[in-house]
Amino acid sequence: MNQKNRLDHGSASNNSTNHGSTHGSTMVEKILAAKSGKKRVAPGNLVNTKVDLALGNDITAPVAIKEFERFGVDKVFDPEKIVLVPDHFTPNKDIASAEQALLIRQFAQKYKIKHYYEIGRMGIEHALLPEQGLVRPGEVIIGADSHTCTYGALGAFATGVGSTDLAAAMVIGEAWFKVPSTLRFEFRGQLPRWVGGKDLILYTIGQIGVSGARYRAMEFAGSAISNLSVDGRLTMANMAIEAGGKCGYVQPDQVTFDYLKGRVTGPYEAVYSDDDAVYEQIFSFDVSDLEPQIAFPPSPDRVRPVSEAEGIELQQVVIGSCTNGRIEDLRIAAAVIKNKRVHPAVRMLVIPATQQIYRQALEEGLLTTFIDAEAVVSTPTCGPCLGGHMGILASGEKALATTNRNFVGRMGHPQSEVFLSGPAVAAASAVAGKIVHPEEVAR
Amino acid sequence: MIFEGRAWLFGDNIDTDAIIAARYLSTTDPGELAVHLMEDIKPEFPGLVAPGDILVGGENFGCGSSREHAPLAIKGAGVSCVIAKSFARIFYRNAINIGLPIMECREELSGIEPGSDRLKVDLEQGTITHLRTGRVYKAEPFPPFMQEIINRGGLIEYVKARVNPAK
Ligand code: SF4
């Protein structure tokens, strides 16, 4: 894949000395301006904005709750705008994690937090919030979790923060940001079969590296994005952080609005980048011949096409996580694996990302397909994605996962290895016992 | 807010391990951390740095692990302000949140005699003055709410003051 037309817009023209200029703004600049009560903002500016949603999970919320208690207040800024999701170590794997979950549960009860999701209703936060209609275009969403950037797929400004930021936001409903400059990524052409959002984002990270978008917003555009489902877009925005990005986003279009219909209540305003917005850099990729992509351990930017990974033997395959545990991912995996069996040397785990996805997969017969193929189907949880529980690797083992990180020891023993891919390659490789192109299995 | 102090120079990519080594992370006390500030890259530094001093870094200051101990150690040494060409995102957030003034200045601060030349930093105006030469550098000014976070000593104190104005 060649990277064409890398256009450098003079970065001097978009720095903060340019308040009076006439050029347009990017979507993120406009959202941050609107939410901080300013006409316009420029990259580098510091702004204090209203927060439309503040999120914490069973690892980060307990720290924020302890900080919160130091403020000596008796209420949160808005019990409808805080979301607490015990998703990482649940159903609780040990006593310590049960205590953490208890802390959130009690906090949610005490402060009447509307969006607290007990297990049974719960899902992995970044799959759950969009599904539940909590993410709306034009909003500012912060979460004490690095993959909060996922919600940019629906045209929000969403980014990960620390527990102190979450604690402060729970009290005053505000957060401060430095306005990021924006990198625009245009994906032209039509995606080949078996190639999806995961392959686009892995390819992109492979091109620019794990700090290629450090501090920046990543705008995803072009015909391949227009034709991509919301599930695929969520996968892409999810991994903006793996390129170091502050946020990743797709501007809302009909695909977005169709997804939001019936989920989101109340008005919202979609925000778009101006035609004359200034980007720090524009990347243009023709993806018509893109192969499925694989990230090699131990870094998400060690990306190669599947043809260069073929034959690597696996002991575990995981389909799940906030990156690729949505219904579309399960459908793709099931289509590949239908009437086949997981290779005897491989353990395959399928983890629907939310309770609703779990139910839908059940109704569509996907779970039967997986179980018939001798895969394991789990209740929604982050589980093995962060080496928490439900599929920890022993030393020397190799896994192929649809998750987003493959650092040393991410899924278990420091001498185990994690490869990353989309759901089609993962399912096909589970059958083959080694990394293969989906065509090899799904004929 | 205006600070004046001696300048110390550091290069590009000063990571949080260099600022405070992992072996000292068993405490979060700024004073105890300060005793080991920059120890691994400049062992004599803890003995040289004095309250009011200003650190000047290059690109990507504070990269690496997200430990909040790094800005705490700097603050504990009494450093009044950190200036760099760019900061790593989490270090930047942590510094503001604990009330350590920092400033991004794209221009290269040149001709500074470390440990003797003095700088004057005006957060509100976004200016840095090299007092020996009189040369003025432009940086990004701090908006009032950010100055208040810094003034109050960090995000927690800032929020406390907002919700309990009487106290
Ligand atoms: S699925 Fe993995 S990456 Fe996503 S929130 Fe959970 S632990 Fe983090």
Side-chain angles (χ1 to χ4, degrees):
Chain A
M1 198 64 20
N2 37 358
Q3 178 193 323
K4 292 175 188 145
N5 306 335
R6 191 191 263 223
L7 303 176
D8 279 16
H9 286 258
S11 56
S13 65
N14 68 351
N15 69 24
S16 56
T17 52
N18 224 7
H19 291 282
S21 66
T22 52
H23 64 75
S25 297
T26 67
M27 185 193 95
V28 161
E29 289 159 14
K30 285 184 177 175
I31 293 175
L32 289 176
K35 296 288 179 177
S36 59
K38 292 195 162 42
K39 268 221 176 67
R40 61 179 295 142
V41 296
N45 290 171
L46 294 163
V47 293
N48 195 37
T49 73
K50 294 253 176 280
V51 166
D52 295 294
L53 214 57
L55 163 76
N57 60 45
D58 53 324
I59 294 181
T60 59
V63 183
I65 287 169
K66 284 191 188 123
E67 298 270 13
F68 178 90
E69 280 160 358
R70 287 171 53 198
F71 293 126
V73 292
D74 56 3
K75 58 179 182 1
V76 298
F77 85 105
D78 186 340
E80 301 205 357
K81 290 186 174 172
I82 293 169
V83 189
L84 296 173
V85 187
D87 56 356
H88 278 60
F89 297 145
T90 52
N92 291 128
K93 70 178 184 114
D94 55 20
I95 294 170
S97 69
E99 299 286 343
Q100 302 264 83
L102 179 65
L103 205 69
I104 311 183
R105 189 176 300 124
Q106 287 172 335
F107 181 85
Q109 278 164 2
K110 181 165 173 197
Y111 295 100
K112 309 202 162 39
I113 304 299
K114 184 168 171 207
H115 302 294
Y116 166 72
Y117 292 90
E118 190 55 84
I119 63 163
R121 276 147 246 155
M122 178 275 282
I124 300 172
E125 48 198 320
H126 310 307
L128 186 69
L129 271 61
E131 168 196 291
Q132 296 290 318
L134 299 180
V135 176
R136 297 190 286 198
E139 295 199 327
V140 170
I141 303 177
I142 60 166
D145 188 277
S146 57
H147 291 100
T148 302
C149 54
T150 309
Y151 316 130
L154 296 172
F157 169 74
T159 192
V161 296
S163 289
T164 308
D165 293 292
L166 174 61
M170 290 199 296
V171 180
I172 57 174
E174 294 172 10
W176 65 271
F177 299 105
K178 191 159 169 200
V179 179
S181 56
T182 303
L183 305 176
R184 181 174 157 95
F185 296 85
E186 290 170 2
F187 300 91
R188 288 174 291 109
Q190 195 157 6
L191 286 179
R193 189 153 192 239
W194 306 119
V195 177
K198 181 62 160 287
D199 305 294
L200 290 179
I201 191 65
L202 285 179
Y203 176 73
T204 304
I205 298 166
Q207 292 295 308
I208 66 172
V210 287
S211 62
R214 186 167 55 83
Y215 230 99
R216 318 268 194 306
M218 301 174 79
E219 179 176 292
F220 304 120
S223 54
I225 302 297
S226 308
N227 293 326
L228 200 62
S229 67
V230 165
D231 281 7
R233 296 174 183 188
L234 288 162
T235 301
M236 291 188 70
N238 176 267
M239 288 191 73
I241 182 71
E242 270 64 52
K246 180 166 194 159
C247 67
Y249 67 91
V250 176
Q251 301 176 68
D253 59 8
Q254 199 52 46
V255 176
T256 319
F257 301 132
D258 290 346
Y259 178 88
L260 295 171
K261 206 176 296 159
R263 293 177 199 271
V264 159
T265 51
Y268 60 83
E269 204 178 326
V271 178
Y272 303 92
S273 296
D274 293 323
D275 290 339
D276 59 346
V278 175
Y279 296 95
E280 186 179 319
Q281 205 169 68
I282 296 177
F283 297 83
S284 182
F285 302 129
D286 184 340
V287 295
S288 316
D289 301 318
L290 190 71
E291 268 187 63
Q293 304 284 303
I294 308 281
F296 281 56
S299 177
D301 62 357
R302 294 194 63 209
V303 176
R304 288 178 222 161
V306 66
S307 54
E308 291 176 28
E310 270 163 356
I312 294 172
E313 288 184 10
L314 303 167
Q315 286 74 49
Q316 181 162 297
V317 167
V318 176
I319 295 182
S321 86
C322 59
T323 317
N324 284 112
R326 281 173 278 268
I327 192 68
E328 184 183 280
D329 304 311
L330 302 188
R331 285 182 189 139
I332 292 168
V336 170
I337 211 168
K338 191 157 179 77
N339 301 324
K340 314 224 160 43
R341 288 168 100 192
V342 173
H343 189 277
V346 174
R347 312 172 304 261
M348 176 173 172
L349 289 92
V350 180
I351 310 178
T354 70
Q355 191 82 354
Q356 195 168 306
I357 295 166
Y358 193 70
R359 166 186 282 274
Q360 196 171 343
L362 180 75
E363 288 171 0
E364 292 183 16
L366 309 180
L367 301 190
T368 309
T369 300
F370 294 127
I371 291 166
D372 285 349
E374 298 177 336
V376 165
V377 181
S378 157
T379 178
T381 181
C382 293
C385 172
L386 77 162
H389 59 149
M390 296 294 294
I392 306 301
L393 300 172
S395 96
E397 290 191 318
K398 288 188 175 68
L400 178 61
T402 66
T403 56
N404 49 36
R405 285 183 175 151
N406 57 353
F407 306 137
V408 171
R410 175 76 178 177
M411 200 174 276
H413 196 282
Q415 259 122 46
S416 61
E417 291 186 307
V418 180
F419 296 75
L420 306 175
S421 76
V425 175
S429 303
V431 172
K434 55 186 195 230
I435 296 180
V436 290
H437 193 290
E439 274 312 320
E440 308 256 320
V441 169
R443 291 201 200 267
Chain B
M1 255 179 153
I2 294 175
F3 306 104
E4 206 191 296
R6 295 184 302 169
W8 296 100
L9 306 184
F10 293 90
D12 291 342
N13 300 308
I14 300 296
D15 61 64
T16 50
D17 271 289
I19 298 170
I20 183 77
R23 59 187 178 278
Y24 302 122
L25 299 185
S26 49
T27 176
T28 53
D29 181 87
E32 283 175 44
L33 292 167
V35 177
H36 306 290
L37 181 62
M38 304 285 185
E39 195 179 271
D40 287 1
I41 52 167
K42 202 172 163 62
E44 70 284 11
F45 192 64
L48 296 174
V49 66
D53 286 359
I54 292 168
L55 307 190
V56 180
E59 300 282 2
N60 206 17
F61 190 92
C63 57
S65 123
S66 65
R67 65 187 64 145
E68 206 165 299
H69 303 72
L72 276 176
I74 296 174
K75 201 181 177 197
V79 167
S80 63
C81 182
V82 184
I83 301 165
K85 277 195 179 164
S86 64
F87 291 93
R89 170 173 179 243
I90 301 190
F91 179 89
Y92 194 93
R93 259 203 116 71
N94 285 342
I96 302 286
N97 285 346
I98 66 153
L100 173 68
I102 61 178
M103 261 204 155
E104 225 168 55
C105 178
R106 293 304 306 160
E107 279 182 82
E108 176 102 36
L109 273 58
S110 54
I112 292 177
E113 204 44 58
S116 63
D117 279 6
R118 299 177 74 80
L119 299 177
K120 190 170 119 189
V121 177
D122 187 327
L123 282 189
E124 201 172 334
Q125 301 297 324
T127 56
I128 299 157
T129 311
H130 183 190
L131 292 176
R132 183 168 57 81
T133 60
R135 184 150 177 217
V136 179
Y137 299 86
K138 267 313 264 176
E140 177 72 16
F142 267 47
F145 77 89
M146 298 290 291
Q147 288 187 49
E148 215 195 313
I149 296 178
I150 300 279
N151 278 341
R152 293 268 175 198
L155 189 63
I156 301 261
E157 297 307 319
Y158 168 79
V159 172
K160 266 193 192 161
R162 289 257 317 256
V163 293
N164 299 320
K167 286 174 205 165

